[in-house]
Amino acid sequence: MTCGSTDWPGSVLITEVGPRDGLQNEQTVVPAAIKIELIRRLAAAGCASIEATSFVSPKWVPQLADAAEVMRGLPRRAGLRYTALTPNLKGFEAALAAGVDEVAVFVAASESFSQKNINCSIAESLDRAEPLIAAAQVAGVPVRGYLSCVIACPYEGAIAPEKIRPIAEMLLAMGCYEISLGDTIGAGTAGTVQALLEVLLPGISADRLAGHFHDTYGQALANVLAALRLGIRHFDSSVGGLGGCPYARGATGNLATEDLVYLLNGLKIETGIDLDRLAAAGQFIADFLGRPSHSRVARALAAKQEVA
Ligand code: HMG
Ligand code: MG
């Protein structure tokens, strides 16, 4: 479809990260049964790629200590892919044993964030990722690479786009099929996202990049639009805008999936996700957590239902 000078794609893939990126930051312990029910509802709404949990140290992220129980309890269907964060071989082996379809390694573009988040330097994290990716290849498990702080770091401030490219290229060369560009603290704007992609895209093709925008400054939808215009076709988002990163103080949740689907519906871009069922899944977890959804679209839909 054409809108002005932009050729919009026919479809976009959304990876729903609420059960992982969203819940990892919650202080209230969410029982495994609630996590499984949330994921079941997300899958029933049409989400085809769901980041279900993390196989990380339970001392670092106690909320996700039940990763294996959650992964084992998930409904399966053809075309539905469950992914999990794995920081090292120990995490990968646990994820594999629990039946994960895909794993994600995570590396930062900032030394300070790398130390706070995974207790090692960027170089050490790449060294950790290498055997994990090799083991995943042997097991036939696709690996996604997250690159955090691609716009700014909570400790170091702005990160130059030129710093991102070599790390992304290294992860791709090791065998990641895609790099998800993490604006961890949601500081990006359409301008900085465009500037980043203009540095990356000459060497890395758009189909090997995804956008992972947190919405701290309310810019995530604009960032999606900027990335869409430059050919990015895969975005991460979180139902109800849940979440944040425990090692990035003040960063709020990801872009809400309801808001992303509403934007894409308006552009006639197919996602396979039913907005009403998605919003109901968001309401389910908001009710459990005892607070309203962060999604503007979910709140508008709920208000419309109250009036009707
Ligand atoms: P460490 O303490 O340096 O590691 O943590 P260690 O190797 O010394 O191990 C310490 C203990 O953890 C040991 O247990 C290990 O067995 C255990 P102990 O002997 O003390 O009983 N351990 C594990 N347990 C379970 N699963 C594992 C595992 N590995 C070691 N995989 C480590 C290093 C990486 C493990 C730790 O720092 C960690 O788990 N960090 C995770 C932090 C995290 O999950 N952060 C949030 C996700 S990143 C994010 O949100 C950003 C993203 O969304 C993109 C964006 O927005 O930018 C992805
Ligand atoms: Mg994130």
Side-chain angles (χ1 to χ4, degrees), residues 17 20-21 24 146 148 182-184 212 214 244-245 254:
V17 297
R20 191 283 300 173
D21 208 344
Q24 74 182 8
Y146 273 112
S148 289
D183 181 12
T184 317
H212 178 105
H214 284 256
C245 175
N254 298 81

Side-chain angles (χ1 to χ4, degrees), residues 14-85:
I14 295 178
T15 289
E16 169 56 53
V17 297
R20 191 283 300 173
D21 208 344
L23 295 185
Q24 74 182 8
N25 210 35
E26 286 298 332
Q27 299 305 310
T28 312
V29 176
V30 181
I34 297 288
K35 292 171 178 155
I36 292 168
E37 179 59 19
L38 170 64
I39 296 170
R40 190 194 67 71
R41 289 174 188 234
L42 291 166
C47 297
S49 169
I50 303 178
E51 195 171 77
T53 188
S54 295
F55 288 82
V56 295
S57 162
K59 288 181 191 144
W60 284 65
V61 185
Q63 178 67 261
L64 302 182
D66 57 6
E69 185 184 349
V70 169
M71 189 57 72
R72 287 205 173 92
L74 296 179
R76 304 281 170 163
R77 68 164 152 78
L80 169 58
R81 183 170 65 182
Y82 293 121
T83 183
L85 233 57

Side-chain angles (χ1 to χ4, degrees), residues 22-165:
L23 295 185
Q24 74 182 8
N25 210 35
E26 286 298 332
Q27 299 305 310
T28 312
V29 176
V30 181
I34 297 288
K35 292 171 178 155
I36 292 168
E37 179 59 19
L38 170 64
I39 296 170
R40 190 194 67 71
R41 289 174 188 234
L42 291 166
C47 297
S49 169
I50 303 178
E51 195 171 77
T53 188
S54 295
F55 288 82
V56 295
S57 162
K59 288 181 191 144
W60 284 65
V61 185
Q63 178 67 261
L64 302 182
D66 57 6
E69 185 184 349
V70 169
M71 189 57 72
R72 287 205 173 92
L74 296 179
R76 304 281 170 163
R77 68 164 152 78
L80 169 58
R81 183 170 65 182
Y82 293 121
T83 183
L85 233 57
T86 52
N88 50 23
L89 261 179
K90 184 180 170 96
F92 172 71
E93 280 158 11
L96 187 65
V100 77
D101 299 310
E102 173 183 303
V103 294
V105 294
F106 46 115
V107 166
S110 134
E111 287 294 351
S112 316
F113 186 76
S114 186
Q115 290 292 351
K116 298 268 190 210
N117 194 37
I118 48 175
N119 204 21
C120 67
S121 67
I122 298 172
E124 284 164 340
S125 69
L126 288 164
D127 287 347
R128 267 186 209 170
E130 200 162 21
L132 190 167
I133 296 167
Q137 282 175 336
V138 171
V141 175
V143 185
R144 199 171 190 224
Y146 273 112
L147 191 39
S148 289
C149 303
V150 296
I151 303 286
C153 163
Y155 312 100
E156 295 179 17
I159 302 286
E162 291 71 22
K163 200 161 174 203
I164 309 304
R165 190 166 159 179

Side-chain angles (χ1 to χ4, degrees), residues 198-223:
E198 280 169 355
V199 168
L200 297 181
L201 285 171
I204 302 175
S205 72
D207 62 1
R208 304 199 78 189
L209 295 172
H212 178 105
F213 302 123
H214 284 256
D215 205 21
T216 318
Y217 289 81
Q219 302 299 301
L221 273 182
N223 295 343

